[in-house]
Amino acid sequence: YLVAFSAGAGGLDPLLLRHAGDPRIAGVFAADAYFGKAVKPGYMAHAKAVQATGSPFWISTGWTGDRKTGNSGATSFPPFADALGMTPTDPPSFMPPPVFAKSKGSVVWLRYDKPWTHQDHITKLAPKALRAMLTGGTDAPATKQSASTY
């Protein structure tokens, strides 16, 4: 499993690009870890690769907060969602209700705005998503993969 929070996206994107579709990656959780002006090539490559396998790939973003660059997840993620062909969906039942959710196959984007804070993405949302991913909980497909290191 790969998990990134906030600026961790800078490390996650090249890793996903290099290992797109690698079966050792049982799931990805990016906790408010998508921002910038361009579609991230690693995120896109891995998202397309996992469509056939159903491997869980989670993205929690949104938090329109007071990011000085104006590149919050709420403004940066829609081009990725559009390029992947994501459509509105019901959120997984094990997650708190987001402002809205979009998905395509196993790629899920959950947008959380205020009162959720940037830190809440890793301290409150991540534990719920990761628990479901690791246990095959409600709405999260169980995986046959085990954790490994690169």
Side-chain angles (χ1 to χ4, degrees):
Y1 293 89
L2 299 175
V3 178
F5 172 59
S6 192
L12 184 59
D13 189 57
L15 184 63
L16 289 174
L17 184 60
R18 183 174 180 187
H19 298 284
D22 189 319
R24 295 177 293 174
I25 301 174
V28 177
F29 184 76
D32 201 13
Y34 196 100
F35 50 91
K37 296 186 186 223
V39 171
K40 297 189 180 306
Y43 278 65
M44 183 58 70
H46 187 69
K48 286 182 175 180
V50 302
Q51 293 305 306
T53 66
S55 177
F57 182 102
W58 301 92
I59 296 178
S60 170
T61 192
W63 196 69
T64 55
D66 302 314
R67 192 176 297 271
K68 292 178 179 145
T69 63
N71 291 323
S72 70
T75 60
S76 300
F77 197 81
F80 173 86
D82 293 344
L84 192 59
M86 297 175 86
T87 57
T89 188
D90 291 329
S93 62
F94 53 83
M95 293 297 288
V99 173
F100 67 83
K102 285 189 172 186
S103 70
K104 173 141 186 187
S106 60
V107 181
V108 178
W109 176 34
L110 305 173
R111 177 174 164 183
Y112 292 94
D113 291 340
K114 292 179 181 180
W116 296 94
T117 67
H118 180 60
Q119 293 78 10
D120 286 343
H121 287 259
I122 197 68
T123 62
K124 296 180 180 176
L125 300 173
K128 293 176 182 302
L130 294 172
R131 185 177 308 111
M133 287 171 66
L134 292 169
T135 64
T138 306
D139 292 341
T143 66
K144 299 175 190 170
Q145 309 300 325
S146 61
S148 63
T149 58
Y150 288 91

